[in-house]
Amino acid sequence: MGSTLTLEQVARRPGRGRWQLLGLLAVVIGPMLLASAMYRWQFWVPQTRSYHGELIATGQTPADLGVAGDWGDAVDDEQPRWQLLVTSADDCRADCRELVYLARQIHIGLNREVARAGHVLAHGAALPADYAAELQTAYPQLRLLELDGERYPEEGAQLWIVDPHGNLVLRYPAGSNGKQILEDLRYLLKISQIG
């Protein structure tokens, strides 16, 4: 006759239930332990970043740079928007003019998201009359603000991405790649629930 196992004999078989419990614990607790170890000893942590500019993580605002104007409020009864801010402590020389042109091209390149962003020039000295006239005709959506050159901490012209709350997010020096700036701004608009 064949041997049949009773319920008591099956319950007393050592090992099987224990291995199932250990396997279940390994599946549940293992990833948490691995993640904690990765954080603690900094291994398998990606060293790359997804943005191209210099991240401003200190909560600075354009006012900290010496820019006059309200950044947290709506402009012309519109919702607050992301801004491409070009700053120059002087009268906007060649590198500044290049960034103003780049900011406009990036703004245009946003396509359907163009209403969520704007571009601003903050200058520390009076603009030459011919360039001021050119800005009025060729850059009708550009906002002009004054910049206190004494408080401006940077050398040369800079392009900044400013969020709708008025916080500086990313900084780019003159000569930066416009496609990379556009990528960064598109990514920020994609993940942002504001502006």
Side-chain angles (χ1 to χ4, degrees):
M1 282 204 166
S3 69
T4 57
L5 297 173
T6 64
L7 189 58
E8 290 176 9
Q9 291 172 333
V10 171
R12 282 191 266 165
R13 279 177 69 185
R16 183 174 181 183
R18 219 175 278 151
W19 285 111
Q20 287 177 342
L21 177 63
L22 289 175
L24 184 62
L25 288 174
V27 167
V28 173
I29 296 175
M32 290 188 287
L33 291 174
L34 179 63
S36 297
M38 287 173 63
Y39 177 76
R40 172 76 171 99
W41 291 291
Q42 294 295 308
F43 66 92
W44 287 343
V45 178
Q47 298 298 320
T48 59
R49 57 187 183 163
S50 61
Y51 54 90
H52 301 95
E54 179 186 334
L55 182 64
I56 310 296
T58 58
Q60 284 184 303
T61 65
D64 296 330
L65 299 175
V67 178
D70 268 340
W71 288 87
D73 297 338
V75 178
D76 299 329
D77 296 328
E78 297 175 4
Q79 289 212 344
R81 303 186 296 174
W82 289 82
Q83 299 289 334
L84 292 162
L85 169 65
V86 177
T87 56
S88 177
D90 55 29
D91 59 352
C92 200
R93 297 194 179 110
D95 57 347
C96 172
R97 293 177 187 204
E98 177 187 320
L99 286 177
V100 169
Y101 174 77
L102 188 62
R104 181 184 68 171
Q105 294 306 101
I106 291 168
H107 186 242
I108 292 169
L110 289 174
N111 298 328
R112 64 180 181 179
E113 299 287 346
V114 74
R116 295 182 62 195
H119 51 289
V120 180
L121 168 62
H123 53 91
L127 296 174
D130 60 331
Y131 188 59
E134 180 185 337
L135 289 178
Q136 287 183 344
T137 57
Y139 301 83
Q141 296 179 345
L142 179 70
R143 285 178 51 205
L144 295 174
L145 297 175
E146 291 185 15
L147 176 72
D148 182 0
E150 299 294 319
R151 292 181 50 203
Y152 185 61
E154 303 295 329
E155 284 292 323
Q158 305 286 322
L159 189 142
W160 308 78
I161 294 180
V162 184
D163 74 11
H165 294 301
N167 300 308
L168 299 173
V169 179
L170 293 168
R171 181 184 71 83
Y172 304 88
S176 295
N177 184 329
K179 287 184 180 183
Q180 292 177 341
I181 299 171
L182 179 60
E183 272 180 28
D184 288 350
L185 186 56
R186 279 186 175 155
Y187 180 73
L188 288 169
L189 290 171
K190 178 181 174 184
I191 64 171
S192 172
Q193 299 298 317
I194 55 174

